Amino acid sequence: MNPENKKCDIIVLFDGYSVNSEQGSQSNCTCTLIKGNKNVIVDTMTAWDGPKLEKAIEENGLKCSDIDYVVCTHGHSDHIGCNYLFQNAIHIVGRCVSKKDVYYNFDFAAGKPYLIDVNIRVIPTPGHTLQDVSVLVSTDKGLYAITGDLFENKDDENLWYRLEVDDAELQRKYRSEMLRHADFIIPGHGPMFPAKYKYDQITI
Ligand SMILES: [Zn+2]
């Protein structure tokens, strides 16, 4: 592999959060920018976050029109809200790949990854919803997994299965897979953490 192809920066623009409140809960997703041969934004927060997301992208030397791919790890409203900002991008929302009104055939269920670039892959990681995907990025520093709500946050061992989960067994399986293979996890609602941190705590 040409080492040039491995050069890309992973920038967490906003750490997500989720806390219980009187009305229910208050949450927003972790939002990540991948800068490289292809510019990718992963999870676009709520529909009320447009101005701050645009500003954060500009602070990192890009415009929204420079984004080639939007990936939403699943279709919940706190992960898709600002997709409209990225008019030049291919949009991957869960397992659905589209641009404008064109919906592309891609069979995530067949188990093969969707290659955005030689070092950026989108793979199915169902459980939280059956449509969930994760983005894997190979870098010189290791393998980064941007997982959405496969992981809620660094310390979610007693939390994730109590949230709304479509298939807990599948989610458990893909959590283990991810911890086994990745070096760093960027979860759905918290800061990035080293996969090793959790791998040591679980029995697979
Ligand atoms: Zn979420």
Side-chain angles (χ1 to χ4, degrees):
M1 187 184 294
N2 178 348
E4 280 301 305
N5 288 336
K6 289 203 94 174
K7 284 211 175 113
C8 66
D9 293 324
I10 297 169
I11 302 152
V12 176
L13 296 177
F14 297 98
D15 284 331
Y17 56 86
S18 55
V19 288
N20 290 327
S21 71
E22 275 175 22
Q23 297 107 310
S25 68
Q26 194 174 1
S27 80
N28 209 339
C29 71
T30 300
C31 174
T32 308
L33 172 66
I34 306 166
K35 265 176 90 174
N37 293 335
K38 300 284 185 202
N39 298 313
V40 184
I41 190 110
V42 185
D43 286 341
T44 63
M45 303 191 288
T46 78
W48 288 264
D49 295 308
K52 80 174 190 185
L53 179 51
E54 227 171 337
K55 184 162 172 271
I57 288 169
E58 280 168 16
E59 283 168 358
N60 282 284
L62 295 175
K63 299 190 291 293
C64 291
S65 57
D66 296 323
I67 299 297
D68 301 296
Y69 283 86
V70 174
V71 182
C72 299
T73 53
H74 59 293
H76 287 166
S77 58
D78 56 340
H79 294 256
I80 62 168
C82 294
N83 287 10
Y84 65 92
L85 288 176
F86 307 103
Q87 298 281 314
N88 293 335
I90 289 179
H91 290 208
I92 302 175
V93 179
R95 295 186 181 190
C96 183
V97 184
S98 68
K99 185 168 184 181
K100 297 185 180 175
D101 61 352
V102 177
Y103 287 78
Y104 299 100
N105 293 324
F106 187 81
D107 189 5
F108 279 103
K112 59 176 180 169
Y114 183 101
L115 289 178
I116 288 179
D117 195 11
V118 66
N119 53 329
I120 307 174
R121 289 169 283 160
V122 183
I123 62 164
T125 49
H128 175 67
T129 75
L130 295 178
Q131 300 292 311
D132 268 49
V133 294
S134 294
V135 182
L136 300 181
V137 190
S138 310
T139 75
D140 298 337
K141 292 182 200 137
L143 182 65
Y144 288 73
I146 308 169
T147 66
D149 294 2
L150 186 63
F151 294 92
E152 181 79 357
N153 58 44
K154 178 181 167 191
D155 297 306
D156 68 350
E157 282 311 309
N158 298 312
L159 172 68
W160 68 267
Y161 53 84
R162 288 200 237 141
L163 303 170
E164 205 170 300
V165 167
D166 282 352
D167 189 325
E169 276 318 300
L170 272 178
Q171 187 163 352
R172 194 182 303 280
K173 172 185 160 189
Y174 283 101
R175 283 167 65 91
S176 298
E177 288 280 311
M178 210 54 89
L179 291 174
R180 206 189 321 244
H181 293 112
D183 296 296
F184 302 97
I185 305 274
I186 298 176
H189 293 272
M192 176 162 59
F193 61 87
K196 179 94 175 49
Y197 168 85
K198 269 193 175 260
Y199 190 73
D200 286 346
Q201 298 182 359
I202 58 165
T203 41
I204 295 175

